[in-house]
Amino acid sequence: MRSASGLRVLSPPRLARHAGAMALKTRLRLSERDAEVLAGLGEFLDRLAGADLAERVRLGTGHTLEDFARRKRELSAITSARWAGTIVRGSNDQWVLARRAQADDLKQLTRAIEVIRGRLAVPVAACDIKTRVAGYPTQAVRAAKQRRLAHLTARAARLREQRRAGRVKIVRGGKRLLKTRLRLEPAGLDEASWRERWRQARTRIEADGESGKRHGNQTISISPDGVVTIKLPGELAAQHADVVDRYGRYTLDARAAFAHRDAEWQAQVKAHRAVGYTVTFECGRCYLTAAFTPPSNVLPEGADDEAFLAAARARGVIGIDHNADHLAVWRLDVHGNPVGRPTRIEVDYAGSTSRRDAQIRHACSALLRQARQSGAGALVIEDLGFAIGREECGGCGRRGRVFRATVAAMPTAKFAARLLAMAHRAGLSVIVVDPAYSSRWGAQHWKKTTSTATHQTSGHDAAAIVIGRRGQGPCTRCTPPKREGNGPACRRPSAAGH
């Protein structure tokens, strides 16, 4: 939607709501007997989950509640009602996620096709005066884009046909690892090591929690002192009759101990509130993940967002401009005036996933420290989805490839999720605003205004001011207030205390 001036109408700021759920992960040091029992259980559940997922994909959009009940009954006869419920729910979640990804892929293809068609309608090296759409620079680039248009159109047609038929594509274990099977030598793997990775990626022992039951989970139960007990299916319990009790429960030799936020987990277990557990295998190691929602973190149903926003803005905010190599941060008071000088938080997202996650935690911790020191009540970030393709950011040439690589390297979703979780535990609020025109308006209205003889304000610092003021409500202008009358000049004190 566009305003009378031709600019896009900004979405109102919104309060990011956190459900309060947390997940804790620890390593289980298995004995030989533990490894044997868990390997058999993982293989057994993997076979059932694969068959149930195939059934769910076959049913497609025609899946009904009767089909759900039938699938659960069939699995309950082989395992138990709790194992069956977890497997059926997991298959449904995978299908829904694949369906959503299919819709997003089709949306992105449609947007790319529209962009290419719009630029192909303009002559080479020309620009449409009305729409300001530029044509492709050379005839060779135009010919390449015509071939790409045909390729994208065919892909979109196939995807629409699959979506109408209700078909989705799901690879248990991951498509990337599956494709590595065809390129073992470049990946530095042999067939045996790849098969072991494939087995570990597909092995997932998961049990949903249940409030009111002993320690919050009857399938995988962990006592407050770390004793892990697993209820084996009847077939496996008969195979390991010498190591299970009369109820088919196997007690691991390994003990579970959470080094992080153990007190919250202990309170959850001792109160017999629901705790879900997941056992996974990575690089030959066994890990246990506990997921639960503490009652103190549950947000009230139907709470008024405007009341929460007003309370969050009462102590001022911190505007955050997220860039590829740093965060530009500026503190604003309750009236939207910048306080002090901006702060720059360096980040480097290059490298492995674990290193990138460490950089995200470092940046979020620095933001929370600054918020506590300055007394701010909320953090304001942009809603950066970066749902753009190669056509929107330059499809050809080194410049387009470099820009796409820079955008793809920014973990905006993970940063927002991590910041929301850490801010929630610290008692701070997170406000999400529309990212449109923040850099442009910051450079136009705030860069020169906030610069001094000794400190030059950058464009990113000025954008942080616009983001912060935008999070303070629709009544707060993104431009600085005009000085009326013959008041003091900029940065010159007066008797009135300006």
Side-chain angles (χ1 to χ4, degrees):
M1 182 178 179
R2 301 276 175 175
S3 62
S5 60
L7 300 179
R8 182 167 66 83
V9 177
L10 302 182
S11 303
R14 59 182 176 86
L15 184 69
R17 306 300 293 272
H18 187 256
M22 62 176 60
L24 312 180
K25 189 174 182 179
T26 186
R27 181 183 175 185
L28 292 179
R29 302 185 181 276
L30 305 178
S31 62
E32 293 184 3
R33 188 180 67 174
D34 292 345
E36 179 184 356
V37 173
L38 289 183
L41 178 60
E43 182 180 355
F44 180 78
L45 296 178
D46 173 62
R47 185 171 66 252
L48 297 181
D52 183 70
L53 180 60
E55 175 71 8
R56 179 64 187 89
V57 172
R58 184 187 65 81
L59 293 173
T61 55
H63 183 266
T64 61
L65 293 178
E66 288 76 11
D67 294 325
F68 181 90
R70 176 183 56 80
R71 289 163 51 208
K72 187 175 180 180
R73 282 196 307 268
E74 294 174 355
L75 289 176
S76 300
I78 305 173
T79 57
S80 66
R82 290 184 174 86
W83 284 119
T86 302
I87 293 174
V88 171
R89 179 190 58 79
S91 299
N92 287 354
D93 291 345
Q94 283 185 292
W95 187 88
V96 171
L97 183 61
R99 184 77 170 172
R100 189 186 309 154
Q102 189 182 61
D104 293 341
D105 191 13
L106 182 59
K107 182 178 179 181
Q108 185 176 1
L109 285 175
T110 304
R111 185 169 55 246
I113 290 173
E114 292 176 355
V115 172
I116 294 179
R117 283 177 175 170
R119 297 191 66 179
L120 287 176
V122 182
V124 175
C127 181
D128 193 320
I129 300 177
K130 294 183 178 179
T131 62
R132 294 189 177 182
V133 175
Y136 290 106
T138 63
Q139 186 62 38
V141 174
R142 179 185 174 86
K145 286 298 180 178
Q146 287 176 333
R147 293 192 297 269
R148 177 166 174 78
L149 177 62
H151 171 69
L152 294 180
T153 304
R155 277 185 56 192
R158 290 195 302 268
L159 205 57
R160 289 191 184 94
E161 178 61 28
Q162 293 174 4
R163 188 160 181 81
R164 281 194 296 268
R167 297 194 304 270
V168 296
K169 297 180 180 179
I170 303 175
V171 180
R172 297 185 64 248
K175 183 170 64 174
R176 179 178 298 180
L177 184 58
L178 179 62
K179 290 184 176 180
T180 307
R181 177 64 180 85
L182 305 177
R183 299 184 295 271
L184 294 178
E185 186 174 351
L189 300 173
D190 55 10
E191 185 176 351
S193 59
W194 179 86
R195 289 191 179 279
E196 179 62 21
R197 288 192 180 185
W198 181 248
R199 183 191 66 81
Q200 292 182 6
R202 292 167 64 92
T203 301
R204 184 180 179 90
I205 305 173
E206 186 177 5
D208 295 337
E210 188 175 357
S211 295
K213 301 300 181 180
R214 180 176 172 82
H215 300 150
N217 197 317
Q218 277 200 320
T219 306
I220 301 179
S221 178
I222 305 180
S223 63
D225 55 354
V227 178
V228 184
T229 305
I230 300 180
K231 180 72 166 61
L232 297 181
E235 180 179 335
L236 292 180
Q239 295 178 6
H240 302 282
D242 55 332
V243 295
V244 300
D245 61 11
R246 59 176 181 171
Y247 301 106
R249 291 193 294 257
Y250 172 73
T251 302
L252 273 67
D253 298 329
R255 293 293 180 265
F258 297 98
H260 178 63
R261 309 193 73 84
D262 180 71
E264 286 87 342
W265 173 77
Q266 291 272 357
Q268 193 82 0
V269 170
K270 291 178 180 178
H272 305 295
R273 292 190 291 264
V275 183
Y277 295 105
T278 304
V279 179
T280 55
F281 297 87
E282 302 172 15
C283 301
R285 298 178 178 180
C286 180
Y287 292 94
L288 173 71
T289 303
F292 57 93
T293 303
S296 59
N297 287 347
V298 178
L299 295 179
E301 293 291 338
D304 187 8
D305 282 355
E306 291 299 327
F308 276 97
L309 279 172
R313 297 163 178 162
R315 293 181 292 162
V317 301
I318 291 182
I320 305 168
D321 182 41
H322 191 185
N323 302 284
D325 58 348
H326 75 282
L327 301 179
V329 183
W330 208 321
R331 168 80 160 91
L332 305 179
D333 62 13
V334 293
H335 306 290
N337 301 315
V339 178
R341 295 303 303 171
T343 304
R344 179 186 176 100
I345 301 175
E346 301 288 346
V347 292
D348 183 9
Y349 295 130
S352 62
T353 303
S354 59
R355 185 181 184 279
R356 181 192 61 194
D357 293 343
Q359 290 289 308
I360 295 175
R361 289 194 299 271
H362 149 72
C364 294
S365 299
L367 289 172
L368 296 182
R369 281 196 301 270
Q370 181 170 346
R372 283 192 293 265
Q373 293 171 1
S374 62
L379 305 170
V380 185
I381 61 175
E382 294 177 297
D383 188 8
L384 295 177
F386 282 142
I388 56 177
R390 57 186 294 181
E391 280 69 36
E392 289 91 337
C393 55
C396 299
R398 181 178 180 277
R399 181 180 179 183
R401 290 193 297 270
V402 170
F403 183 76
R404 289 198 304 273
T406 302
V407 169
M410 292 178 59
T412 54
K414 288 190 174 183
F415 170 78
R418 173 72 67 174
L419 180 62
L420 179 58
M422 296 177 66
H424 177 77
R425 290 195 291 267
L428 298 172
S429 302
V430 176
I431 301 175
V432 182
V433 300
D434 197 315
Y437 314 116
S438 58
S439 298
R440 184 188 304 179
W441 289 350
Q444 180 180 357
H445 300 293
W446 288 99
K447 184 176 180 180
K448 183 178 180 181
T449 306
T450 57
S451 297
T452 65
T454 57
H455 296 90
Q456 186 70 24
T457 301
S458 67
H460 300 300
D461 297 334
I465 299 178
V466 175
I467 294 170
R469 291 176 66 90
R470 191 173 290 173
Q472 291 181 314
C475 297
T476 306
R477 300 176 58 187
C478 294
T479 58
K482 295 182 179 180
R483 180 166 53 90
E484 298 180 359
N486 296 323
C490 182
R491 297 182 299 277
R492 182 175 298 174
S494 68
H498 294 289

